[in-house]
Amino acid sequence: MDLMYNSTRSTDIQVTASQAILKGLAPDGGLFVPELFPALPVPVEDLAGMSYQETAYAVMKQFLTDYTEDELKRCIRRAYDGKFDTPQIAPLVSAGGAYYLELFHGATIAFKDMALSILPYLMTTAAKKNHETKEIVILTATSGDTGKAALAGFADVPGTRIVVFYPKNGVSPIQEKQMVTQKGANTCVIGIHGNFDDAQAGVKKLFSDKRLEAEISAEGFCFSSANSINIGRLVPQIVYYVYAYGRLLADGVLKAGDPMNVVVPTGNFGNILAAFYAKNMGLPIGKLICASNENKVLYDFFETGVYDRNREFILTSSPSMDILISSNLERLIYHASGRDAAKNAALMGELARTGRYALTEEMAAAMRDFAGGYATEEQTFAEIRRVYGQCGYVLDTHTAVASSVYHTGFAQKCGDVPAVIASTASPYKFARSVMTAIDPRYAGMEDFALIDELYGISGIRIPRAIEEIRTAPVLHDTVIEKDEMEAAVRRFLAR
């Protein structure tokens, strides 16, 4: 029997995995969730001997049941190959009193590569399986990393186009340069005057516009998403937590069945939700520690049971976490409500109307495995200095938020349970902030000079993704107001 997917907002929508990946968002505005959590198909002790690709197949075949073995293995083989600069794909490094799960060894040096390397293959396979003949138009909002990873994944993929919206002044210089130099006749990158939440809201509005859907369908197009609202993004992220547990077993840090804690720098909530899904598959995870920067809406949520986005939006040195509307949290709310779609829909409606909602006591109790913490800009920079000074290991700003939250608020409480910290980006992606944190004298240097200095102090090879953009020409220079997104998409499709 195939595992089916339901909408978080109604009981009358049910689709296969491939259909959920193809659609991206449910027609009622909800997110697709599996009808149940499948179990890990192998004993946990066997994880120690499995490669990343073997782990990926073991996990993903439980969720993507309408893909054949050949289809899924082909997607995995094409995704996790020489695009990654290490055969381990996601190395686990012990440094500074924790284990850092390095998720930045892909083509765009950020954790989004872990899922977006495979999503184009999953999506084009899904299109064939479901006899979709229309050209798939990927609409994506990015706070910095998803955009480039999605562009790299879908560039020149037959039968697809991709439009990425990003906040013009809300990403790092390197993140922006990576996006605006993207090659590919089917790619379009657009800056908006606004923040990530504005971009995300605009994309969701386009998805929910039935008039627009009918019009572009008549022109031979259909919309889909590469954001983490797409279940095809979430399922591949489960893999690396399972793989990390296997590495701890292989290194003798854990015995089979011993727990590990997970610490995740969190913005849109997809990365830590994947760890929650892994736990519900039977992976021995203890605490799920949600680390926020100064946009601490999630920290306040786990502390109070009230989600409230009515607050100042703060631009920080960890821009991928500068988010006040965490879309994937809806999936957790749905599970915590006992899969009550009506209850979830009511809470999401309240969020849309008032900008806030409150959990019931029962729902709060269902989230007891989660804990929140946050780090200020000063604490983030101090953590980069501490870890580098202690062992020479360089953290990017997002990973430093998580590391600070763990070491200041949880390390003593957790005792001997090892902490796996999701290391979500290469320090090269945020070289200015990282180098300034290590030594303020670097503040006045040009961006690529800072990259050379970072190589000098760390010995970490400069990634190909950085070298490629040093002299790359800008190919995308459109900047629009946030209410012009539909018009921009129409112009691109008219090419």
Side-chain angles (χ1 to χ4, degrees):
M1 293 289 291
D2 282 337
L3 179 67
M4 303 299 286
Y5 286 77
N6 303 320
S7 170
T8 53
R9 298 191 187 182
S10 62
T11 57
D12 57 353
I13 296 174
Q14 191 172 70
V15 298
T16 65
S18 64
Q19 289 168 341
I21 289 171
L22 201 54
K23 291 176 183 293
L25 194 68
D28 59 1
L31 308 186
F32 286 116
V33 288
E35 60 185 344
L36 54 83
F37 288 117
L40 281 173
V42 298
V44 291
E45 54 266 28
D46 290 359
L47 297 174
M50 294 170 65
S51 69
Y52 193 89
Q53 292 83 351
E54 290 167 339
T55 307
Y57 179 72
V59 171
M60 292 174 66
K61 74 174 182 177
Q62 301 303 104
F63 286 94
L64 309 181
T65 55
D66 67 326
Y67 286 74
T68 67
E69 179 178 348
D70 284 346
E71 287 171 340
L72 188 52
K73 284 187 173 178
R74 184 166 61 250
C75 291
I76 290 168
R77 187 169 60 252
R78 290 178 176 178
Y80 304 114
D81 58 8
K83 291 187 291 293
F84 288 80
D85 64 15
T86 170
Q88 292 175 281
I89 307 299
L92 190 66
V93 176
S94 176
Y99 294 88
Y100 294 90
L101 180 60
E102 293 187 344
L103 302 174
F104 53 76
H105 288 274
T108 74
I109 58 175
F111 82 100
K112 307 297 176 73
D113 289 323
M114 303 301 295
L116 283 165
S117 291
I118 195 169
L119 181 61
Y121 300 109
L122 294 175
M123 191 171 286
T124 52
T125 302
K128 291 176 184 176
K129 293 175 76 67
N130 290 280
H131 311 291
E132 178 58 75
T133 58
K134 295 183 179 69
E135 192 169 5
I136 301 167
V137 180
I138 308 298
L139 299 182
T140 295
T142 185
S143 55
D145 288 335
T146 287
K148 175 58 182 179
L151 289 162
F154 282 95
D156 292 325
V157 171
T160 70
R161 298 193 194 191
I162 179 166
V163 185
V164 169
F165 295 98
Y166 74 97
K168 173 58 183 169
N169 296 310
V171 300
S172 80
I174 296 297
Q175 286 176 310
E176 183 173 40
K177 188 79 183 287
Q178 282 188 299
M179 288 188 284
V180 299
T181 58
Q182 176 66 50
K183 297 176 182 178
N186 66 335
T187 66
C188 178
V189 181
I190 300 172
I192 68 162
H193 293 301
N195 58 41
F196 169 74
D197 290 334
D198 296 322
Q200 182 169 250
V203 166
K204 285 186 175 181
K205 183 179 178 182
L206 295 177
F207 272 111
S208 62
D209 188 331
K210 299 302 180 186
R211 171 194 54 82
L212 178 62
E213 179 183 22
E215 290 175 2
I216 69 153
S217 178
E219 295 167 7
F221 301 107
C222 62
F223 286 151
S224 190
S225 174
N227 279 99
S228 54
I229 56 175
N230 192 317
I231 197 69
R233 276 278 305 276
L234 185 62
V235 169
Q237 291 180 275
I238 301 167
V239 174
Y240 47 72
Y241 294 108
V242 179
Y243 181 72
Y245 192 87
R247 295 305 89 213
L248 291 175
L249 289 175
D251 293 343
V253 177
L254 292 177
K255 297 185 179 69
D258 289 347
M260 71 177 187
N261 293 323
V262 171
V263 191
V264 185
T266 309
N268 219 20
F269 207 75
N271 201 357
I272 195 166
L273 185 72
F276 173 76
Y277 273 43
K279 181 179 175 73
N280 278 276
M281 291 186 79
L283 192 71
I285 293 177
K287 275 290 180 189
L288 297 154
I289 300 169
C290 177
S292 299
N293 63 17
E294 290 180 352
N295 291 292
K296 58 187 185 70
V297 62
L298 288 168
Y299 167 75
D300 292 339
F301 171 71
F302 286 114
E303 286 290 297
T304 67
V306 176
Y307 192 93
D308 189 347
R309 64 172 175 83
N310 299 307
R311 61 184 69 205
E312 179 189 3
F313 184 93
I314 302 169
L315 292 174
T316 74
S317 62
S318 46
S320 299
M321 300 162 67
D322 290 346
I323 296 172
L324 296 180
I325 304 174
S326 302
S327 290
N328 269 289
L329 188 61
E330 178 171 345
R331 286 186 167 111
L332 180 62
I333 297 298
Y334 174 79
H335 293 303
S337 70
R339 297 176 177 267
D340 186 334
K343 176 66 174 174
N344 177 72
L347 290 174
M348 294 306 108
E350 191 176 342
L351 178 65
R353 289 190 305 275
T354 69
R356 71 190 302 276
Y357 61 82
L359 298 179
T360 64
E361 289 185 9
E362 293 79 11
M363 292 173 71
M367 299 183 190
R368 60 186 174 275
D369 291 335
F370 284 87
Y374 77 96
T376 64
E377 286 287 88
E378 292 76 13
Q379 289 171 319
T380 301
F381 279 36
E383 185 67 0
I384 293 171
R385 280 193 300 275
R386 182 191 73 84
V387 176
Y388 176 72
Q390 187 177 94
C391 58
Y393 188 68
V394 183
L395 306 177
D396 92 288
T397 47
H398 304 73
T399 308
V401 168
S403 187
S404 175
V405 165
Y406 173 69
H407 284 103
T408 59
F410 293 94
Q412 284 191 319
K413 299 177 193 174
C414 292
D416 294 332
V417 178
V420 171
I421 296 176
S423 185
T424 55
S426 166
Y428 281 106
K429 202 154 193 172
F430 303 94
R432 177 164 300 282
S433 295
V434 169
M435 294 301 288
T436 303
I438 290 173
D439 191 329
R441 70 184 175 88
Y442 292 116
M445 294 180 66
E446 183 268 335
D447 286 313
F448 284 99
L450 285 169
I451 284 167
D452 293 332
E453 286 290 327
L454 177 53
Y455 171 71
I457 69 165
S458 69
I460 304 169
R461 184 166 55 88
I462 300 173
R464 185 169 63 245
I466 296 295
E467 294 289 12
E468 286 174 348
I469 64 171
R470 279 186 189 263
T471 58
V474 171
L475 302 176
H476 307 270
D477 58 4
T478 302
V479 181
I480 63 173
E481 300 300 325
K482 60 187 179 184
D483 60 357
E484 297 174 337
M485 291 170 65
E486 179 182 334
V489 171
R490 286 185 178 277
R491 284 194 297 272
F492 177 59
L493 296 186
R495 288 183 186 176

